[in-house]
Amino acid sequence: MDKFAIKKRKVPGKPGELRERRGGRRRRTGTPPPLTLLSTDVRPVWRHVAAEGLDCDYAVIFTRSEADDIFLRLEEELEYFSGDLSRVQVYGKWYQIPRKQVAHGDPRLTYKYSGVTLSPKPWLPVLERIRERVRETTGHVFNFVLINRYQDGKDHIGEHRDDERELEQGSPIASVSFGASRDFVFRHGSARGGGSRRRQGRLEPIKLLLEHGGLLLMNHPTNVHWYHSLPVRKRVLAPRVNLTFARSCVSARIDRDGRPPLQSFPPPARTKSLHSGQR
DNA sequence: CTCTTTCAATCGC
DNA sequence: GGCGATTGAAAGA
């Protein structure tokens, strides 16, 4: 709790109001500080990423050793969705999604992804540790996290916007990365689709490198007009785990008489949406 | 009922 | 290796 010593102070150009205390005297020669202090003695350096309708902040918020430790724990402890929850239909054909995916969050929240309603699994200590650091560095509290694991550079995610309809109005989305660095691309909605190359005055794509221990904060209204993707990178051979934190306001329907909703996992199939055979 | 949005692989350059 | 264009059924507004 006091490991990542911070104190409140307004700092221009920062996404949050919090900033770590500067501890310059710690690096005296001959008296190395305890490893736990050394490993967290980092002040995040924020980079603001802005364009027309795009407002993001990026910083590495974990030291190398913290990130190494967290990455190992994530690899050991996470169990990703499988079966119907990891398949998607595109242009009439069914595919395994080109990555692994799992959701954790407060009980009774739901999350819709490509027509499938996911119930998040309960929080794990390593996830709460990450969430707490994000809160310390941004001032925002999140109640849900969608985790994507990219085995190597062939795993990817196509262009999409994060659906803000289910999020609390105006709340940002925090994307935290561990493992291999990967390119990340924003494209404006008007720059997509056929013929867009010829259009004058179009907005150029914005490319970022998401690093081990890095946090990308996507502020409103970024996700309204800008799409983002994690493109294939054939030369990347190592895995990356990404955690997208959000503040959801969608609790499972019911609540009419305060009855706790039964965990629907998988949700009762109201439609035939998960079956490829029937046609 | 109509309209909009969404996903990933494949092919050509 | 990378990028743009192309492929449609299903869901939700």
Side-chain angles (χ1 to χ4, degrees), chain A residues 167-259:
Chain A
L167 302 187
E168 208 158 84
Q169 176 70 303
S171 69
I173 290 167
S175 173
V176 188
S177 302
F178 297 98
S181 293
R182 289 289 295 265
D183 288 335
F184 182 89
V185 182
F186 281 109
R187 282 179 75 205
H188 193 266
S190 67
R192 305 169 70 245
S196 61
R197 259 163 46 82
R198 313 180 155 240
R199 214 169 293 153
Q200 299 292 325
R202 76 185 192 285
L203 296 163
E204 290 298 322
I206 292 176
K207 303 179 181 185
L208 301 174
L209 183 65
L210 303 185
E211 306 155 285
H212 191 39
L215 162 63
L216 177 66
L217 240 204
M218 287 181 268
N219 302 299
H220 190 75
T222 300
N223 273 113
V224 177
H225 293 297
W226 290 81
Y227 289 70
H228 56 267
S229 67
L230 195 84
V232 169
R233 287 292 179 264
K234 292 276 172 69
R235 289 166 295 193
V236 174
L237 304 177
R240 166 177 181 265
V241 175
N242 176 75
L243 303 95
T244 302
F245 289 87
R247 181 163 185 84
S248 174
C249 57
V250 179
S251 46
R253 2 246 149 218
I254 309 169
D255 300 334
R256 242 147 262 213
D257 29 51
R259 230 178 332 146

Side-chain angles (χ1 to χ4, degrees), chain A residues 94-224:
Chain A
W94 286 91
Y95 303 95
Q96 286 293 127
I97 58 173
R99 59 192 174 275
K100 287 181 171 177
Q101 203 167 60
V102 68
H104 289 256
D106 291 356
R108 307 159 73 150
L109 291 177
T110 63
Y111 172 77
K112 283 208 227 22
Y113 171 79
S114 200
V116 184
T117 300
L118 306 178
S119 293
K121 300 183 179 191
W123 290 101
L124 301 175
V126 64
L127 300 178
E128 292 180 309
R129 177 181 174 192
I130 300 165
R131 176 170 71 155
E132 174 62 9
R133 176 65 60 85
V134 172
R135 187 194 64 74
E136 290 169 352
T137 53
T138 70
H140 292 283
V141 178
F142 298 98
N143 60 12
F144 177 89
V145 62
L146 179 68
I147 304 170
N148 280 287
R149 181 181 189 274
Y150 304 89
Q151 169 66 33
D152 56 33
K154 294 190 289 296
D155 273 5
H156 63 280
I157 189 166
E159 264 183 358
H160 67 286
R161 293 174 294 173
D162 291 340
D163 190 354
E164 293 188 346
R165 287 174 303 180
E166 304 190 350
L167 302 187
E168 208 158 84
Q169 176 70 303
S171 69
I173 290 167
S175 173
V176 188
S177 302
F178 297 98
S181 293
R182 289 289 295 265
D183 288 335
F184 182 89
V185 182
F186 281 109
R187 282 179 75 205
H188 193 266
S190 67
R192 305 169 70 245
S196 61
R197 259 163 46 82
R198 313 180 155 240
R199 214 169 293 153
Q200 299 292 325
R202 76 185 192 285
L203 296 163
E204 290 298 322
I206 292 176
K207 303 179 181 185
L208 301 174
L209 183 65
L210 303 185
E211 306 155 285
H212 191 39
L215 162 63
L216 177 66
L217 240 204
M218 287 181 268
N219 302 299
H220 190 75
T222 300
N223 273 113
V224 177

Side-chain angles (χ1 to χ4, degrees), chain A residues 5-124:
Chain A
I6 52 167
K7 85 186 201 183
K8 289 186 181 179
R9 186 194 305 168
K10 300 228 173 185
V11 179
K14 296 238 170 189
E17 319 261 281
L18 302 175
R19 192 178 195 182
E20 184 181 352
R21 191 197 314 138
R22 195 78 186 119
R25 70 242 173 260
R26 284 199 193 135
R27 303 235 177 232
R28 262 176 303 148
T29 53
T31 56
L35 194 57
T36 52
L37 283 179
L38 179 64
S39 66
T40 57
D41 185 15
V42 178
R43 180 171 62 87
V45 178
W46 291 94
R47 179 155 71 101
H48 190 59
V49 181
E52 190 178 309
L54 185 148
D55 180 343
C56 296
D57 297 281
Y58 178 79
V60 174
I61 64 166
F62 291 97
T63 64
R64 177 62 192 260
S65 58
E66 287 176 320
D68 287 351
D69 179 60
I70 289 170
F71 181 61
L72 287 176
R73 288 182 190 278
L74 293 171
E75 290 288 76
E76 282 176 11
E77 298 170 18
L78 294 180
E79 295 185 25
Y80 292 89
F81 292 143
S82 61
D84 285 344
L85 292 178
S86 64
R87 304 198 315 146
V88 66
Q89 192 185 35
V90 180
Y91 281 87
K93 294 179 181 170
W94 286 91
Y95 303 95
Q96 286 293 127
I97 58 173
R99 59 192 174 275
K100 287 181 171 177
Q101 203 167 60
V102 68
H104 289 256
D106 291 356
R108 307 159 73 150
L109 291 177
T110 63
Y111 172 77
K112 283 208 227 22
Y113 171 79
S114 200
V116 184
T117 300
L118 306 178
S119 293
K121 300 183 179 191
W123 290 101
L124 301 175

